[in-house]
Amino acid sequence: MKKIAVIGSNMVDLVTYIDRMPAQGETLEAPRFAMGCGGKGANQAAASALLGGNVLMVTKVGDDAFADNTLANFQRLGIDTRFVERVPGVSSGVAPIFVQDNAHNSILIVKGANAHLSPADIDRAEPALRECALMVLQLEIELASVYHAIDVGHRLGIPVLLNPAPAVAGLSPEHLAKLDFLVPNESELALLSGQTVDSPEAASRAARTLMANGVRHVIVTLGEHGALYVGEEGEWRVQGHCVEARDTSGAGDAFIGCFAHHWSRDGDIRKAMTQAVAYSACSVTGLGTQSSYPDAEGFARFAAAHGA
Ligand code: RIB
């Protein structure tokens, strides 16, 4: 099986479950805390690996105990860590996350070592990237490195998927045109297209403007409402699943990791989206990011119970 290359971030998630956010100057007690492995890149890699995918991770960890934990986690998941490097004298990436009673989350990120992943690091990984079926990118490393990875993927003829998260406005049209897949959520799509995205119809209109920039396939994740495809193969929507959500953190990453795994095996976009919507729904029923991702067996049980 060919590999999926994930070039991006890893973070240590510091998750506090809260009743409400404290006001300025207020100290508030929160009922629960948990630490876990996170970061959009690492989460996407973990989801693919848990489902049986062969994953190559290109990332940077810091000079601290968090880094040991992250490396051990990659190894436990069977992820290829040849291009995971430590940065001396720098902290690992960390993400304080606040999850409210309604399962919704607010996230801060400190990039730490992730900010040191450079174009030269991507060049060093090129011999291994050549063997990959798909390159998966997000925006928690420096934009110059993301653009360089897109250029390398395009030059090598490797399909490139960009998850434009965290959201930024004004991605370079030259690089958008080199993408095979762009996978934003609604707010990321709104920022990228400069349009209001408040319904699936509006998402469809906004996605079309990005297609006009040359992106072949735009997949918009719609949370509990599933996902929308707009691209060369037409337009369709995969409906979401009705589940009791406990923590939505990392649900978008679960979608992308699962999509990457399935699409890289057989190139069937609709099937991969159907699996990814179900995998993401399953993830919100658990707590944390990677800690809520099922392996292939756990996901098969969820899928059977939810007719996915
Ligand atoms: O998408 C969720 C992720 O965003 C968290 O794991 C956190 O680390 C931030 O990167």
Side-chain angles (χ1 to χ4, degrees), residues 29-285:
E29 184 179 340
R32 191 181 137 88
F33 169 82
M35 193 173 103
C37 290
K40 296 184 195 303
N43 292 349
Q44 294 167 17
S48 296
L50 280 163
L51 289 168
N54 199 354
V55 181
L56 170 80
M57 184 81 207
V58 181
T59 192
K60 293 253 166 150
V61 293
D63 192 5
D64 49 25
F66 286 161
D68 303 336
N69 190 51
T70 296
L71 277 164
N73 183 53
F74 285 147
Q75 277 147 15
R76 186 181 61 78
L77 291 165
I79 292 172
D80 182 342
T81 55
R82 277 175 298 158
F83 301 97
V84 180
E85 287 178 5
R86 284 181 194 263
V87 188
V90 171
S91 80
S92 289
V94 293
I97 301 180
F98 303 93
V99 182
Q100 310 217 29
D101 268 359
N102 63 5
H104 288 292
N105 61 78
S106 308
I107 305 182
L108 281 168
I109 60 161
V110 180
K111 279 185 185 161
N114 293 295
H116 293 254
L117 187 68
S118 68
D121 295 317
I122 294 161
D123 289 343
R124 264 194 296 284
E126 190 175 313
L129 295 175
R130 282 179 188 278
E131 310 299 318
C132 293
L134 177 67
M135 180 187 283
V136 178
L137 302 164
Q138 325 71 32
L139 299 177
E140 286 183 331
I141 58 172
E142 296 304 290
L143 201 49
S145 300
V146 174
Y147 286 161
H148 187 72
I150 294 172
D151 289 337
V152 169
H154 189 67
R155 172 167 54 78
L156 299 178
I158 305 164
V160 180
L161 180 157
L162 174 66
N163 168 219
V168 296
L171 284 177
S172 121
E174 180 206 336
H175 289 94
L176 283 178
K178 291 179 179 171
L179 296 176
D180 293 86
F181 294 99
L182 183 68
V183 189
N185 64 18
E186 290 152 287
S187 56
E188 292 150 5
L189 177 62
L191 207 60
L192 281 174
S193 64
Q195 297 181 22
T196 303
V197 178
D198 53 6
S199 65
E201 295 69 35
S204 161
R205 279 192 298 277
R208 291 204 168 279
T209 63
L210 296 175
M211 260 194 89
N213 275 318
V215 185
R216 297 179 58 205
H217 311 288
V218 182
I219 297 173
V220 188
T221 55
L222 303 169
E224 66 204 271
H225 302 296
L228 172 75
Y229 171 86
V230 177
E232 281 176 0
E233 297 187 13
E235 176 166 342
W236 65 76
R237 169 122 164 254
V238 175
Q239 294 295 336
H241 295 272
C242 192
V243 293
E244 198 173 321
R246 295 170 73 203
D247 182 351
T248 58
S249 320
D253 301 329
F255 178 97
I256 288 166
C258 180
F259 176 86
H261 171 63
H262 283 281
W263 182 81
S264 64
R265 288 205 310 192
D266 62 14
D268 186 330
I269 297 176
R270 194 191 287 252
K271 196 171 102 197
M273 280 178 65
T274 303
Q275 295 292 305
V277 165
Y279 191 80
S280 163
C282 181
S283 80
V284 307
T285 64

